[in-house]
Amino acid sequence: MNRSESIYDILLLAPLTLSLILGGIGVVLITNIIYSALSLGLVLICISFFYIILNADFVAVAQILIYIGAVNILILFAVMLMNNPKYPNYAPPWTVGDSITSIVCTSLFCSLITIILNISWFGISLTQKSDQMLERDLTSNIQRIGAHLSTDFFLPFELISVILLVALIGAITIARREETV
């Protein structure tokens, strides 16, 4: 890699990475749920741009259509429909449940980081076929994407689904808490 390619990578990836990090921080720290959901949309758009940079156009379009177009809009509609301004918005600043949840989430985060850093990701393979045989047997790009999603990218694909499930449960919990107050 020469110097111009590294400068190009920095100029392209630095703002995208910064937007992704700031959007993720916004999802967690913004107290207004609507703005938090819009920040989630920014994060999902940045992820789709990373897919475009990696020449995974189909996955990028699927990311935009499914996650941004459906899931984020669904979250926004659910929050807007359940947001009832008639009742006073009072909640105690910190409860025992918040403390327990914070401790559990922090310990899970630290253990996941430890596991991710200690795994040799290049040795993981879920099939017995070699890559050349896999590429030769599959004729269309859609078949190849399906094969890669079910072999090489199985773990990240499933982790994304778990993260989205946790985010939806959190959004429902927050919306119900505001409804009962």
Side-chain angles (χ1 to χ4, degrees):
M1 180 179 350
N2 60 20
R3 184 171 171 86
S4 65
E5 288 178 358
S6 65
I7 291 173
Y8 172 73
D9 290 341
I10 291 172
L11 290 176
L12 185 66
L13 294 177
L16 191 58
T17 306
L18 184 65
S19 300
L20 182 71
I21 291 170
L22 290 176
I25 290 171
V27 169
V28 176
L29 296 181
I30 293 176
T31 56
N32 188 341
I33 298 174
I34 295 172
Y35 292 137
S36 180
L38 290 174
S39 183
L40 176 65
L42 173 69
V43 169
L44 294 174
I45 288 171
C46 289
I47 291 172
S48 66
F49 282 136
F50 275 118
Y51 285 132
I52 290 171
I53 291 170
L54 293 171
N55 292 326
D57 299 330
F58 178 79
V59 181
V61 170
Q63 171 84 16
I64 291 171
L65 289 176
I66 295 170
Y67 293 131
I68 298 169
V71 174
N72 203 29
I73 299 301
L74 178 69
I75 290 171
L76 279 174
F77 279 145
V79 168
M80 286 181 180
L81 288 175
M82 296 184 79
N83 194 4
N84 196 351
K86 288 189 278 187
Y87 300 106
N89 193 8
Y90 173 74
W94 193 262
T95 63
V96 175
D98 292 338
S99 302
I100 293 171
T101 304
S102 176
I103 291 169
V104 168
C105 288
T106 303
S107 62
L108 279 173
F109 179 75
C110 292
S111 63
L112 281 174
I113 292 298
T114 304
I115 290 170
I116 287 171
L117 293 176
N118 290 331
I119 287 180
S120 173
W121 292 99
F122 298 108
I124 296 176
S125 177
L126 299 175
T127 63
Q128 297 297 325
K129 284 187 170 185
S130 70
D131 289 338
Q132 291 175 347
M133 288 179 62
L134 186 65
E135 294 294 326
R136 187 176 31 163
D137 292 342
L138 303 175
T139 56
S140 71
N141 286 337
I142 304 300
Q143 288 177 332
R144 288 186 181 137
I145 290 170
H148 283 298
L149 281 177
S150 62
T151 56
D152 299 333
F153 300 110
F154 181 74
L155 184 64
F157 190 72
E158 289 301 318
L159 287 176
I160 292 281
S161 66
V162 169
I163 289 171
L164 282 173
L165 177 66
V166 169
L168 284 173
I169 291 171
I172 291 169
T173 303
I174 290 171
R176 285 188 169 259
R177 184 185 305 167
E178 286 183 357
E179 181 180 289
T180 59
V181 171

